[in-house]
Amino acid sequence: MKLSYRSSYNKLITKMEAMQQRVPRQGIRWAMDNAKAVDQSCRDHLETQGRGGTPPPLSSMTRQIYAKDGEPDGSGIVDHLTLEFRKRGDKFYATLGIPNGKPAMIAKVQDRGTTVRVTEKMRGFLSARYGIHLRQETTHINIPGRHFWERSLRRGRSKAMRELKRFFREVTR
């Protein structure tokens, strides 16, 4: 039995040319699908952990503020999430985020949590506006993080890698 290297080489070239045609189109679809999945995961997490779903227990301070001002409508950070797709040259970009400014700062605090130092001005505001009288020894207020970015990105990354492996198996057929 003889092996024909010329025939194998020609088959390889044909297969690579076909793959070269499919990769950009399917790669864009892969990027769009996975960016949309991460976006949806973020939105779902914010809705279930925020006012729109089953929230974690509220602090007594938060309950007092809501009693005075009413609860937020649940939109908050979800309304500021943006998902953009663009192509620059031969590269395709899918970007999920929150524009800079106050919403981005609030999202960062919601995601990571923070500790706020209590000033005399804050103490006076909380007392006058909401009737919240902080003890003199209270020097900080802790805001726990909800970790919606981290959780959503971790889930999205593992799903995207599974899809990418499937994608390459499909493209190299």
Side-chain angles (χ1 to χ4, degrees), residues 12-171:
L12 177 63
I13 294 296
T14 303
K15 201 172 201 179
M16 288 179 75
E17 286 172 350
M19 186 174 89
Q20 196 172 17
Q21 296 297 316
R22 291 194 315 254
V23 167
R25 186 177 60 250
Q26 289 178 324
I28 288 172
R29 189 188 78 224
W30 170 83
M32 289 178 73
D33 290 349
N34 285 288
K36 287 176 185 175
V38 171
D39 176 61
Q40 192 58 53
S41 179
C42 271
R43 290 173 188 280
D44 291 347
H45 188 72
L46 283 168
E47 287 174 10
T48 59
Q49 291 297 305
R51 302 287 60 93
T54 307
L58 299 175
S59 70
S60 58
M61 184 186 296
T62 302
R63 285 195 301 271
Q64 247 177 296
I65 291 170
Y66 286 175
K68 173 99 174 158
D69 287 347
E71 283 197 42
D73 65 2
S75 52
I77 296 304
V78 175
D79 287 349
H80 296 282
L81 281 174
T82 60
L83 180 59
E84 297 175 358
F85 301 105
R86 67 182 178 279
K87 191 172 182 180
R88 195 177 298 155
D90 63 343
K91 295 182 179 175
F92 180 80
Y93 299 88
T95 308
L96 172 66
I98 297 172
N100 283 335
K102 190 174 181 179
M105 184 271 304
I106 292 169
K108 191 177 192 179
V109 168
Q110 275 190 342
D111 184 55
R112 297 178 186 165
T114 194
T115 300
V116 179
R117 190 173 62 82
V118 175
T119 63
E120 288 307 312
K121 186 176 179 180
M122 179 191 294
R123 204 179 290 281
F125 173 79
L126 290 172
S127 178
R129 170 87 180 177
Y130 300 108
I132 297 171
H133 307 289
L134 298 176
R135 287 184 237 129
Q136 202 55 42
E137 59 269 12
T138 301
T139 58
H140 294 83
I141 297 172
N142 292 316
I143 300 170
R146 294 181 182 170
H147 308 292
F148 64 92
W149 281 120
E150 180 186 324
R151 177 183 165 272
S152 299
L153 292 173
R154 190 174 50 246
R155 280 185 175 180
R157 189 178 302 120
S158 66
K159 180 182 180 288
M161 292 313 292
R162 283 192 309 270
E163 290 289 316
L164 191 59
K165 288 175 186 175
R166 186 185 59 74
F167 165 70
F168 277 111
R169 280 193 304 270
E170 187 179 294
V171 168

